[in-house]
């Protein structure tokens, strides 16, 4: 015997279905309108900075193609992980066809030219100075040529995110082909962050405890991030990253790496999480000494000497900020950078390698920095002046390139 609903129950079920249909239809239409509005605003009205923060890779590609610009300043590399995109240009920033920040480099090397190659990360690339002509290596070239060393060419071989690992491989595989006469190595902070690996047995010489293969610009896009409105909301809440953020696209971190987590918690004011309460970062750094940083720098020195290239090491400068700083301004990070600088000094003594103690000379004045370690335009100019003075006063540049006499 079939039980049919009573007229009252049937009426109630119809109203419920109609109500649910109305709610679903309303939510669908509302979301569609929000999605259309978000896309129109982002692609037609948003400032460029907002567009770059919230756009998908496809939206970024469309705008870059229309403007005749490169999508990203980075591209994947078989051995190094990622390098600078060849012929990248955006605004006042540009790379040459080798992917190095700056003008084209004549090849083969002209007779009589003295080449200085600056190796490092974002602090060598000079990330927060948008005009490539005002980066510290470019200004160093200006300073040396202005002092009469007209045959000097200074090459910027730094890249944001690079550690001594990448610089060592880049030096061996790409920089040697440029026939440098001198290299200047400026590293510390990125290698320091890479030491925040736990447990200690994951801290290895190949850096696999911190990094893994990254997907690059062809990475799959999560379903929720395909919606402009949802993607904007998730990025705004810190649940997703911008499409071309270096740490998302070209650096894949390992589960045992806690460096980015430490910095994120510091920047958001949520430090320390339960993990860092149980495992303080000072303990992690103590258990993971700068063994591999030392080894990488030593190997760069040995390769340079074997190739008759003058190596110059430089200690790493940072701003002193009592308050209002970033994650790199914490006492832990400052002590860590001091420790890395002492390694540089020790290598200089042990291998009789010139060390420019830049960290002791450069003012720790926050007005010269953006954040704690990246110089602004004024800082880049002073940095170039101090490096030029050191190279000239210490007579590190070969005598054949002595300044012209006044009567010439």
């Amino acid at each position: 015997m079939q039980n049919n609903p009573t007229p009252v129950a049937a009426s109630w079920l119809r109203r419920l279905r109609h109500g649910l249909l109305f709610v679903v239809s309303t939510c669908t239409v509302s979301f569609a309108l929000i999605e259309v509005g978000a896309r129109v605003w982002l692609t037609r009205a948003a400032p460029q900075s907002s567009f770059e923060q919230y756009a998908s890779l496809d939206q970024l590609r469309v705008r870059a193609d229309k403007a005749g610009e490169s999508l990203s300043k980075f591209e994947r590399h078989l051995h190094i992980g990622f390098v600078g995109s060849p012929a990248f240009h955006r605004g006042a920033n540009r790379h040459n066809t080798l992917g190095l920040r700056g003008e084209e480099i004549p090849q083969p090397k002209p007779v009589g030219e003295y080449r200085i190659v600056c190796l490092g990360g974002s602090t060598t690339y000079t990330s927060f100075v948008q005009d490539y002509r005002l980066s510290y290596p470019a200004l160093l070239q200006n300073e040396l040529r202005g002092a009469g060393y007209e045959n000097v060419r200074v090459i910027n071989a730094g890249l944001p995110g690079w550690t001594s690992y990448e610089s060592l491989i880049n030096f061996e595989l790409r920089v040697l082909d440029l026939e440098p006469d001198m290299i200047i190595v400026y590293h510390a902070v990125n290698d320091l962050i890479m030491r925040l690996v736990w447990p200690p047995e994951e801290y290895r010489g190949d850096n696999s405890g911190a990094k893994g293969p990254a997907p690059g610009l062809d990475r799959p896009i999560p379903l929720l991030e395909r919606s402009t409105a949802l993607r904007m909301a998730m990025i705004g809440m810190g649940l997703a990253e911008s499409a071309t953020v270096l740490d998302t696209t070209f650096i894949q971190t390992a589960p045992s790496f806690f460096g980015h987590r430490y910095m994120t918690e510091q920047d958001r004011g949520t430090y320390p999480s339960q993990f860092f309460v149980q495992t303080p970062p000072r303990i992690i750094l103590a258990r993971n000494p700068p063994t591999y940083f030392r080894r990488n720098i030593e190997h760069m020195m040995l390769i340079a000497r074997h190739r008759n290239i003058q190596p110059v090491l430089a200690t790493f400068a940072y701003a002193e900020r009592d308050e209002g700083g970033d994650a790199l301004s914490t006492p832990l990070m400052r002590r860590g950078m001091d420790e890395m600088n002492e390694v540089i000094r020790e290598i200089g003594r042990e291998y009789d390698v010139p060390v420019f103690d830049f960290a002791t000379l450069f003012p720790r004045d926050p007005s010269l920095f953006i954040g704690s370690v990246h110089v602004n335009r004024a800082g880049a100019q002073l940095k170039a002046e101090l490096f030029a003075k050191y190279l000239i006063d210490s007579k590190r540049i070969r005598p054949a390139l002595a300044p012209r006499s006044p009567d010439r």
Side-chain angles (χ1 to χ4, degrees):
M1 181 176 178
Q2 185 175 2
N3 293 324
N4 293 320
T6 65
V8 173
S11 176
W12 182 85
L13 287 173
R14 284 196 299 272
R15 289 198 300 270
L16 178 61
R17 285 197 296 268
H18 291 160
L20 289 174
L21 180 61
F22 175 78
V23 170
V24 170
S25 301
T26 301
C27 289
T28 300
V29 172
S30 298
F31 180 78
L33 291 173
I34 292 172
E35 178 69 15
V36 170
R39 292 193 180 200
V40 170
W41 176 82
L42 185 64
T43 57
R44 300 186 181 182
Q48 181 65 21
S49 59
S50 297
F51 178 79
E52 292 176 357
Q53 181 179 5
Y54 295 116
S56 68
L57 282 173
D58 288 340
Q59 290 167 333
L60 288 164
R61 284 192 182 94
V62 169
R63 179 167 292 191
D65 288 344
K66 287 182 178 179
E69 296 180 339
S70 306
L71 173 61
S72 172
K73 69 176 67 164
F74 310 107
E75 68 175 23
R76 294 177 68 185
H77 187 274
L78 177 62
H79 301 295
I80 306 175
F82 63 99
V83 295
S85 293
F88 166 83
H89 67 95
R90 185 173 298 162
N93 190 22
R94 63 185 57 245
H95 297 171
N96 57 36
T97 51
L98 297 176
L100 303 175
R101 192 181 197 196
E103 304 288 351
E104 291 298 328
I105 302 169
Q107 292 287 83
K109 177 181 172 182
V111 175
E113 181 172 282
Y114 189 88
R115 286 188 173 174
I116 301 173
V117 177
C118 300
L119 303 174
S122 57
T123 51
T124 293
Y125 187 90
T126 322
S127 290
F128 288 90
V129 176
Q130 298 306 313
D131 192 331
Y132 75 97
R133 294 163 294 188
L134 300 177
S135 66
Y136 121 72
L139 294 173
L140 174 58
Q141 176 176 287
N142 293 346
E143 290 294 318
L144 292 173
R145 288 184 178 180
Y149 296 85
E150 297 176 356
N151 288 347
V152 168
R153 182 181 300 276
V154 180
I155 297 170
N156 189 340
L159 200 67
W162 273 7
T163 66
S164 63
Y165 290 89
E166 287 81 18
S167 283
L168 171 60
I169 302 170
N170 186 54
F171 178 41
E172 173 67 29
L173 299 185
R174 306 203 311 160
V175 169
L176 286 179
D177 291 339
L178 300 176
E179 302 178 75
D181 298 283
M182 174 187 290
I183 58 170
I184 298 175
V185 181
Y186 189 72
H187 271 298
V189 68
N190 289 344
D191 286 82
L192 171 64
I193 296 168
M194 288 296 137
R195 289 167 53 195
L196 289 171
V197 169
W198 198 260
E201 55 267 24
E202 296 296 324
Y203 182 56
R204 308 186 186 100
D206 63 0
N207 211 24
S208 60
K211 291 183 180 180
L217 292 170
D218 295 325
R219 64 186 177 90
I221 306 300
L223 180 62
L224 291 179
E225 293 183 34
R226 296 177 186 177
S227 159
T228 298
L230 287 177
R231 185 176 60 254
M232 291 174 62
M234 293 172 67
I235 292 173
M237 292 186 292
L239 300 176
E241 294 279 8
S242 299
T244 57
V245 167
L246 175 60
D247 293 346
T248 300
T249 309
F250 293 98
I251 298 177
Q252 181 67 53
T253 58
S256 52
F257 177 60
F258 293 91
H260 290 164
R261 179 170 171 177
Y262 170 80
M263 295 177 64
T264 299
E265 289 185 17
Q266 288 285 354
D267 288 337
R268 293 180 179 173
T270 59
Y271 177 85
S273 64
Q274 187 61 32
F275 171 80
F276 288 122
V277 170
Q278 296 176 342
T279 315
R282 60 181 175 80
I283 299 298
I284 300 177
L285 292 178
R287 291 291 301 272
N288 300 335
T291 305
Y292 308 120
F293 173 71
R294 177 190 294 272
R295 188 169 73 183
N296 293 341
I297 300 296
E298 288 174 343
H299 287 177
M300 279 188 261
M301 300 303 97
L302 293 171
I303 293 170
R305 282 187 164 174
H306 180 70
R307 297 291 179 180
N308 197 31
I309 299 167
Q310 170 68 73
V312 174
L313 298 176
T315 55
F316 196 88
Y318 57 84
E320 286 278 11
R321 294 180 182 272
D322 295 327
E323 56 183 28
D326 54 22
L328 298 176
S329 65
T330 62
L332 176 73
M333 289 290 104
R334 293 204 298 263
R335 287 194 301 270
M337 285 184 278
D338 290 342
E339 180 187 23
M340 306 295 264
N341 282 338
E342 190 53 39
V343 170
I344 293 293
R345 298 184 186 103
E346 290 172 1
I347 293 173
R349 291 191 293 267
E350 293 170 12
Y351 291 85
D352 193 26
V353 173
V355 174
F356 175 36
D357 206 349
F358 177 66
T360 63
L361 291 177
F362 194 77
R364 294 186 174 182
D365 181 357
S367 68
L368 297 172
F369 291 84
I370 296 176
S372 296
V373 300
H374 297 96
V375 293
N376 55 24
R377 288 179 60 172
Q381 179 62 51
L382 180 56
K383 185 175 182 177
E385 292 171 4
L386 291 174
F387 269 86
K389 186 176 188 306
Y390 168 77
L391 294 177
I392 294 170
D393 291 350
S394 62
K395 298 181 172 56
R396 298 298 173 190
I397 300 179
R398 292 175 183 169
L401 289 172
R404 295 183 305 174
S405 59
D407 59 344
R408 285 180 61 186

